[in-house]
């Protein structure tokens, strides 16, 4: 029997907004699926899209990048810089035949605990529908 | 191209005392091959030529020259390097000036308006036995080719390098001397990219899987690129290991994602990567896909303006946000 | 390399949903792990002792703690490492509480996830480098933004300690909303009487430099060394000369609505907001002054020339730069715009007023010298409506404004005092009388014959010459119509309209209610997320006066810590450049939001070339530079590519 697909989702969360938001999700005990595992970075601007590629190569079926809402970056513009890079990288992924939906970006503030749990739920569902990412298996 | 004009202008450049070297095209002895030549005296300038066979970019050779300034050396003693540059080469030069802080004045640019160049693989495929090519000229959509004791006419379309077919910058964007009248520019064309975008995701996946599976990871594409100039490439490092050494689809894909992403907003469109690829990977498709998106979305064209901030070091609050979850 | 792994049960907080015993066994077999332990409360003294003892006995190089969020106890454990002689940055925390045990129900899956998080932390820990923490000097001065009661209190507390304070107020006088109030609940002190001495103290304090009629327009730098640009608007009057004699206003022929009295009266175009204004200096309203608009009137100028000659029409907007070590934000609140609830008829009927308008009406220095007169008559029937713009999702304000219940009770009391015969009805949703003496006061007001009816009125309309308030009394379960000739709307508190602007100027966050967000809702209610910037008063959320004063004093105390220690440790997570890898392209220089990177010349072999170099004092450690670096030469300490990639690799593994 085929094992039920249980996606591996990695997240890069900025320290000031989304990681704090994810902590608030915990403090408020809003549940979400355990598929998502977070890596804390200080700012989404720190994220090099190649880290996303590396995540896929190391077995991630989906990747979430989450940071402060536009205009609210702790470092002023890191999230804007990240958005541009991620946008371009998603297009590149799509062009080589990797569904760009596997790379999601969201804005979650430190006070949006509920939103974070919803984002995780929806992304997990989405990746489940897309099935495992096999491109990097060979 | 009028050879006399080229040679005379080159000699004129050499009459200036501050030019140490001129990099141009010289005719190779075998078949249709063309070599870069390094001219150091006035008389040597007679060896220069230019024809549709000049498909290689000379920009990369700047770093091989004595004026190591292009490797970032600030102590040059003021010598300049002259270079023959087509439209795409001029974009690479602009990008290098901007990125490496090379003073524009240190380079003397002999600009060549370019009607497109011949893909060596195509012409050699058509005339595999040619030994001594004497001339290739272009007129009215035809190439007139003379080699050994034969002469041939071939429609331009059959031999033109793929990336030249879509070239939007045939004319040099910067130059000190212009060697010919400017040619008409067609504007950017991305019909082939658009065709590929229409393919189903799975279909495109299969297409690239097939391509990347062939990659030998010889790094020729990287070495030939005028804009890949790191002393120590991250794709060869062990810590962190972005790409590991094994040659398989997974690592090859990782390599090509990294390579094309590193050229996003930087690729000058010279097609060197594709030209040198021993297994004929259509690498310019990746570069041009990004070039197209970046142009359409961010109104940004690499190597078009010396004062542009790097694409990924800038943003507009109105950048696309619809994809945000 | 020897690692120690410490897994916290957090009582049952972690243990209930994560199999701690299994996790500890799992940790033992991870690479380089010398010792793995679990304990009830790792953050407790014995828990920390466990770590310290192991560092000493086993000679551990790196420590991994699997516990609550690093945002909670990273500092605690860093201190523990330091006291055991290990560099505090040799610590990595796996967040298995907030981001694991508290959010997943399936214990097996939560345990599996905890394993991954732990494995990732262990692999990163092995790559951590000891970091040096550098100290920088602190400018011994503070900036206080906002001159209401919170800003006044914070400024006085800091100044009294002996440090210089720059107090910036956008209005011509300090005092804020409190100076507009009549009496304060529940003690019925006269608001101005208790505030004006403090205002005078500010005006006279040798350590306070007051920038009234001014705004902060730019803030650069970091804790200990902020550079602030203040825009001084022209008053057209020399503050050093004006003695507030008021002759000018007597000669001024232009009358405009008096904003201090909420436009219930008129004032002159040259004016002082209220008699006790600080600074005691007149100001000319540039939107109405005939001289400034058309140059055809010099009445005030002429009379002033005979006195102190303080009027100066050549004054221009001025930018002043000051340097401070810390900043207190006390920008206060605005009132909810009651016209967004048109059903209450504020825009239609003169005798529907807001709570703050009532304060002016009832105030002895107000437009009616304290008599409650509406349209020339004393009202016989007065209705108060609570929660206007508070606890109201339809207007986007879900929160309670925290003062309206009590100010309504107070105002009802004042009506009773001034109009003993009037009938007084209060419509309320709930009465929240939570503070000291509040319930007692509420009780007293009810005893005074104020009728409290539970219900949220649906409409105020006119019938004949009277108003009718229509509501459902939810206790009686009946529809009621109450006639009134004065309706007072208890308008709620909203963030100062410039809050978003202030937030972006200082890189502060706003909570969903749009007030400024504190660093931690429980434990750091006065700090902002930016080091050296503190919050006081209603900018952080609705508060009454004692709470604002308390928070202001707390903010002052917090901001005094760096000032009095004279040094701050600059954060160690800066970027650094591996020079031999740098290609000198300058992308990082262009991308850095803080101008902390520059290219400088170095020799490499025979070549002289430029490479990036980081100014660690200016670097705030966002890592944007590292993400645009193509050669991987610029990296962020503790968040280097290789450290992040090691976590990615560990999260990608499957563990039994």
């Amino acid at each position: 029997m085929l094992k039920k697909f249980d996606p591996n989702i990695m997240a890069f969360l900025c320290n000031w907004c989304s990681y704090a938001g994810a902590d608030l999700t915990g403090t408020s005990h809003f549940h979400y699926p355990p598929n998502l595992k977070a890596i804390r970075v200080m700012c989404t601007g720190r994220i090099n899209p190649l880290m996303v590629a590396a995540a896929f190569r190391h077995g991630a079926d989906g990747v979430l990048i989450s940071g402060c809402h536009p205009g609210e970056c702790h470092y002023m513009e890191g999230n804007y810089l990240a958005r541009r890079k991620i946008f371009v990288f998603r297009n590149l992924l799509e062009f080589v035949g990797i569904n760009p939906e596997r790379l999601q970006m969201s804005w979650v503030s430190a006070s949006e605990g509920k939103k974070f749990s919803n984002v995780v739920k929806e992304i997990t569902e989405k990746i489940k529908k897309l099935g495992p990412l096999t491109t990097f298996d060979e | 191209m009028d050879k006399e004009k080229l040679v005379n202008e080159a000699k004129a450049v050499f009459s200036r005392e501050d030019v140490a070297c001129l990099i141009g095209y010289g005719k190779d002895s075998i078949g249709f091959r063309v070599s870069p030549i390094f001219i150091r005296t006035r008389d040597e300038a007679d060896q220069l030529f230019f024809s549709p066979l000049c498909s290689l970019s000379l920009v990369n050779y700047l770093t091989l020259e004595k004026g190591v300034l292009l490797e970032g050396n600030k102590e040059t003693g003021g010598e300049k390097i002259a270079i023959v540059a087509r439209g795409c080469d001029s974009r690479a030069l602009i990008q290098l000036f901007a990125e490496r802080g090379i003073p524009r004045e240190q380079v003397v640019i002999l600009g060549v308006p370019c009607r497109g160049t011949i893909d060596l693989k195509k012409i050699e495929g058509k005339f595999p036995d040619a030994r001594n090519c004497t001339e290739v000229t272009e007129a009215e959509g035809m190439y007139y080719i003379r080699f050994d004791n034969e002469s041939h006419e071939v429609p331009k379309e059959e031999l033109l390098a793929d990336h030249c077919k879509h070239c939007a910058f045939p004319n040099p964007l910067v130059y000190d001397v212009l060697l010919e009248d400017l040619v008409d520019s067609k504007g950017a064309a991305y019909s082939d990219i658009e065709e590929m975008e229409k393919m189903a995701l799975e279909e495109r996946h299969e297409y690239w899987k097939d391509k990347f599976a062939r990659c030998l990871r010889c790094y020729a594409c990287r070495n030939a690129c005028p804009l890949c100039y790191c002393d120590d490439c991250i794709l060869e490092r062990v810590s962190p290991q972005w790409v590991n050494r094994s040659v398989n689809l997974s690592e090859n894909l990782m390599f090509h994602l990294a390579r094309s992403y590193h050229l996003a907003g930087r690729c000058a469109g010279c097609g060197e990567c594709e030209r040198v690829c021993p297994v004929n990977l259509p690498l310019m498709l990746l570069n041009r896909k990004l070039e197209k998106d970046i142009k359409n979305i961010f109104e940004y064209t690499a190597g078009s303006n010396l004062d542009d901030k790097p694409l990924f070091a800038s943003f507009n609050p109105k950048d696309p946000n619809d994809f945000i979850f | 390399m020897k690692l120690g792994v410490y897994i916290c049960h957090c009582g049952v907080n972690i243990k209930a949903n994560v199999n701690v015993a299994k996790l500890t066994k799992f940790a033992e077999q991870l690479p380089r792990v010398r010792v793995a332990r679990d304990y009830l409360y790792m953050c407790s003294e014995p828990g920390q002792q466990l770590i310290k003892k192991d560092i000493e006995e086993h000679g551990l190089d790196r420590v991994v703690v699997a516990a609550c969020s690093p945002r909670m106890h990273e500092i605690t454990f860093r201190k523990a490492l330091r006291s055991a002689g290990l560099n505090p940055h040799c610590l990595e925390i796996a967040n298995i509480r907030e981001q694991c045990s508290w959010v997943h129900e399936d214990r097996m899956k939560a345990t599996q996830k905890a394993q991954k998080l732990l494995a990732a932390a262990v692999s990163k820990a092995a790559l951590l480098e000891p970091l040096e923490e550098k100290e920088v000097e602190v400018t011994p001065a503070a900036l206080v933004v906002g001159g209401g009661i919170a800003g006044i209190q914070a400024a006085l507390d800091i100044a009294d300690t002996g440090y210089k304070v720059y107090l910036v107020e956008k209005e011509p006088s300090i005092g804020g909303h409190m100076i507009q109030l009549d009496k304060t609940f529940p003690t019925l002190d006269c608001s101005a009487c208790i505030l004006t001495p403090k205002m005078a103290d500010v005006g006279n304090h040798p350590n306070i430099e007051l920038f009234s009629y001014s705004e902060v327009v730019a803030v650069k730098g970091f804790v200990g060394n902020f550079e602030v640009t203040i825009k001084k608007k022209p008053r057209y009057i020399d503050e050093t000369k004006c003695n507030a004699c008021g002759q000018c206003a007597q000669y001024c022929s232009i009358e405009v609505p008096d904003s201090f009295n909420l436009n219930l009266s008129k004032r002159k175009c040259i004016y002082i907001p209220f008699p006790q204004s600080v600074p005691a200096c007149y100001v000319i309203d540039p939107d109405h002054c005939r001289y400034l608009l058309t140059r055809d009137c010099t009445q005030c100028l002429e009379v002033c020339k005979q006195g102190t000659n303080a009027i100066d029409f050549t004054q221009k907007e001025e930018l002043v730069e000051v340097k401070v070590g810390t900043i207190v934000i006390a920008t206060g609140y605005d009132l909810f715009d009651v016209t967004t609830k048109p059903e209450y008829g504020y825009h239609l009927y003169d005798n529907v007023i807001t709570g703050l308008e009532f304060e002016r009406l009832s105030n002895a220095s107000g437009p009616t010298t304290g008599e409650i007169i509406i349209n020339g008559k004393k009202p016989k029937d007065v209705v108060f409506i609570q929660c206007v713009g508070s606890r109201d999702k339809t207007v986007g304000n879900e929160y309670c404004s925290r003062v309206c219940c009590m100010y309504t009770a107070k105002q009802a009391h004042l009506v009773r005092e001034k109009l003993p015969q009037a009938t007084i009805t209060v419509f309320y949703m709930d009465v929240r009388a939570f503070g000291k003496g509040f319930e007692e006061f509420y009780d007293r007001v009810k005893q005074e014959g104020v009728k409290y009816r539970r219900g949220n009125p649906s409409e105020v309309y006119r019938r004949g010459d009277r108003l009718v308030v229509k509501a459902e009394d939810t206790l009686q379960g009946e529809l009621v119509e109450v006639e009134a000739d004065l309706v007072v709307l208890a308008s709620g508190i909203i963030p100062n309209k410039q809050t978003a602007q202030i937030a972006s100027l200082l890189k502060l966050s706003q909570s969903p209610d749009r007030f400024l967000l504190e660093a931690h809702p429980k434990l750091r209610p006065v700090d902002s997320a930016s080091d050296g910037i503190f919050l006081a008063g209603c900018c952080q959320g609705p508060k009454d006066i004692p709470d604002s004063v308390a928070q202001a004093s707390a903010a002052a105390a917090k901001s005094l810590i760096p000032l009095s220690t004279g040094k701050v440790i600059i954060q160690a997570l800066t970027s650094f450049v591996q020079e031999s890898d740098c290609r000198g392209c300058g992308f990082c220089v262009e991308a850095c939001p803080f101008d902390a990177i520059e290219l400088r010349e170095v020799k490499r072999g025979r070549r002289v070339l430029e490479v990036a170099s980081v100014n660690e004092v200016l670097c705030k450690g966002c890592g944007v530079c590292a993400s645009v670096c193509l050669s991987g030469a610029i990296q962020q300490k503790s968040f280097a590519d290789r450290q992040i990639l090691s976590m990615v690799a560990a999260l990608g593994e499957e563990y039994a």
Side-chain angles (χ1 to χ4, degrees), chain C residues 114-125:
Chain C
Q115 286 178 319
K116 286 200 175 195
L117 295 175
L118 184 60
V122 164
S123 63
K124 180 179 174 187

Side-chain angles (χ1 to χ4, degrees), chain B residues 59-77:
Chain B
V59 176
N60 227 8
Y61 294 98
L62 279 171
T63 51
L64 294 180
E65 241 325 294
K66 144 182 186 208
V68 266
L69 73 105
L70 291 159
E71 281 184 40
N73 196 347
K74 291 276 160 189
E75 278 187 355
T76 62

Side-chain angles (χ1 to χ4, degrees), chain C residues 22-38:
Chain C
K22 188 177 176 200
L23 195 60
T24 313
K25 272 208 143 48
F26 170 77
E28 280 168 356
Q29 50 78 47
L30 287 170
R32 299 177 197 87
V33 171
R34 172 62 61 95
V35 49
R37 300 185 197 281
D38 61 290

Side-chain angles (χ1 to χ4, degrees), chain C residues 58 77 92 106-107 112 168 222 241 264 296 312 335 363 366-367 435 459 481 602 608 610 624:
Chain C
H58 294 275
F77 293 116
E92 184 63 22
D106 182 328
R107 192 161 189 261
Q112 280 172 354
V168 178
F222 53 94
K241 289 186 185 164
L264 296 171
D296 66 348
D312 176 6
L335 280 180
N363 191 290
E459 202 184 349
E481 290 190 341
V602 294
V608 174
E610 289 190 329
V624 159

Side-chain angles (χ1 to χ4, degrees), chain B residues 33-45:
Chain B
R33 301 222 165 201
V34 166
S35 297
I37 54 170
F38 298 77
I39 308 291
R40 290 193 175 76
T41 63
R42 231 179 103 88
D43 294 343
E44 288 173 349

Side-chain angles (χ1 to χ4, degrees), chain A residues 15 23 32 36 45-46 85, chain C residues 69 71 104 113 627 641:
Chain A
N15 181 63
D23 277 354
Y32 58 79
L36 180 130
R46 168 68 189 93
K85 286 182 278 202
Chain C
S69 170
R71 296 173 58 86
H104 308 313
K113 173 168 167 180
S627 78
D641 285 346

Side-chain angles (χ1 to χ4, degrees), chain C residues 66-337:
Chain C
C68 54
S69 170
R71 296 173 58 86
M72 291 295 299
H73 276 307
E74 195 170 54
I75 292 171
T76 312
F77 293 116
R78 284 208 169 136
K79 283 182 182 157
L81 263 63
R82 193 202 308 265
S83 74
L86 194 59
N87 183 287
H89 292 276
C90 293
L91 168 80
E92 184 63 22
I93 289 181
N95 182 348
I96 60 167
R97 191 181 76 175
E98 281 86 343
Q99 298 190 15
C100 191
S101 72
W102 275 351
V103 285
H104 308 313
E105 287 160 307
D106 182 328
R107 192 161 189 261
M108 196 187 79
K109 287 192 166 171
T111 305
Q112 280 172 354
K113 173 168 167 180
Q115 286 178 319
K116 286 200 175 195
L117 295 175
L118 184 60
V122 164
S123 63
K124 180 179 174 187
L127 298 172
L128 285 174
E129 306 271 359
L131 303 182
E132 190 193 342
E133 287 180 337
K134 290 184 181 149
E135 284 183 337
V136 292
E137 302 277 322
V138 172
T139 309
L143 170 76
V144 176
V145 188
I149 178 59
I152 288 171
Q153 185 65 45
L156 286 173
D157 286 348
I158 298 169
D160 283 347
T161 324
Y163 295 95
K164 175 93 183 171
V165 177
Y166 301 99
L167 175 60
V168 178
E169 166 58 48
K170 67 175 190 305
E171 298 294 332
S173 169
I174 57 170
H177 279 107
M178 185 176 166
I179 197 67
Q180 289 176 293
L181 306 181
D182 182 23
K183 300 285 188 290
T184 60
F185 62 77
T187 50
L188 302 173
D189 298 278
C190 155
S191 190
C193 309
I194 57 176
L195 182 56
T196 48
K198 280 185 186 290
M199 290 167 57
D201 282 352
V202 168
N204 298 328
H205 207 296
N207 289 339
I208 298 180
E209 186 170 341
L210 174 60
F211 289 89
S212 59
Y213 211 41
S214 301
E215 283 171 41
V216 174
V217 290
V219 177
K220 285 196 295 190
F222 53 94
V223 57
N225 294 280
F226 290 107
E227 289 169 26
V228 182
T229 311
I230 299 165
K231 182 176 85 183
K232 282 182 78 168
K233 293 177 275 190
R235 292 178 93 104
Y236 301 107
I237 291 169
D238 186 337
E239 239 178 90
T240 61
K241 289 186 185 164
C242 177
N243 61 1
C245 70
Q247 287 289 319
C248 52
Q250 289 190 11
Y251 283 85
C252 177
S253 57
I254 309 294
E255 282 203 327
V256 293
D258 182 356
S259 53
F260 182 75
N261 275 334
L262 304 165
N263 305 339
L264 296 171
S265 63
K266 302 261 187 184
R267 63 157 163 77
K268 291 295 177 60
C269 184
I270 185 165
Y271 69 105
I272 189 161
F274 49 94
Q276 311 94 320
S277 288
V278 173
C281 175
Y282 273 67
V283 56
I284 293 175
D285 178 346
D287 297 333
H288 299 96
C289 172
R290 275 173 55 192
Y291 180 84
L292 289 171
L293 295 173
T294 56
R295 315 234 165 234
D296 66 348
C297 164
T298 52
Q299 294 271 19
C300 58
L301 192 65
E302 276 152 31
V303 65
C304 192
K305 267 183 186 162
Q306 295 161 27
T308 57
N309 196 16
I311 297 180
D312 176 6
F313 280 115
T314 66
Q315 275 188 2
K316 294 265 172 324
E317 193 174 283
E318 202 184 326
L319 292 180
V320 183
E321 303 254 346
V322 299
K323 290 186 175 174
V324 296
T326 52
I327 298 175
V328 175
I329 303 296
T331 47
Y333 66 94
D334 274 316
L335 280 180
F336 172 74
D337 177 6

Side-chain angles (χ1 to χ4, degrees), chain B residues 140-202:
Chain B
E140 317 259 315
M142 297 297 282
Y143 284 131
Y144 298 91
I145 305 164
R146 291 196 287 147
F147 58 86
D148 302 330
N149 290 315
E150 304 172 27
S151 61
H152 295 268
E153 290 176 26
V154 182
K156 188 174 173 181
E157 283 304 298
E158 286 183 27
L159 299 179
L160 196 63
D162 287 349
H163 68 275
C164 293
K165 286 181 187 165
H166 309 280
C167 177
F169 295 93
N171 294 310
L173 299 180
V174 278
Y175 51 81
D176 299 290
V177 179
L178 192 63
L179 296 173
E180 260 187 346
D181 292 339
L182 296 176
V183 298
D184 288 340
S185 156
K186 298 181 295 260
Y190 297 105
S191 53
D192 52 339
I193 307 283
E194 280 152 11
E195 278 309 306
M196 279 200 72
E197 285 169 347
K198 282 182 205 147
M199 287 160 70
L201 195 71
E202 268 310 304

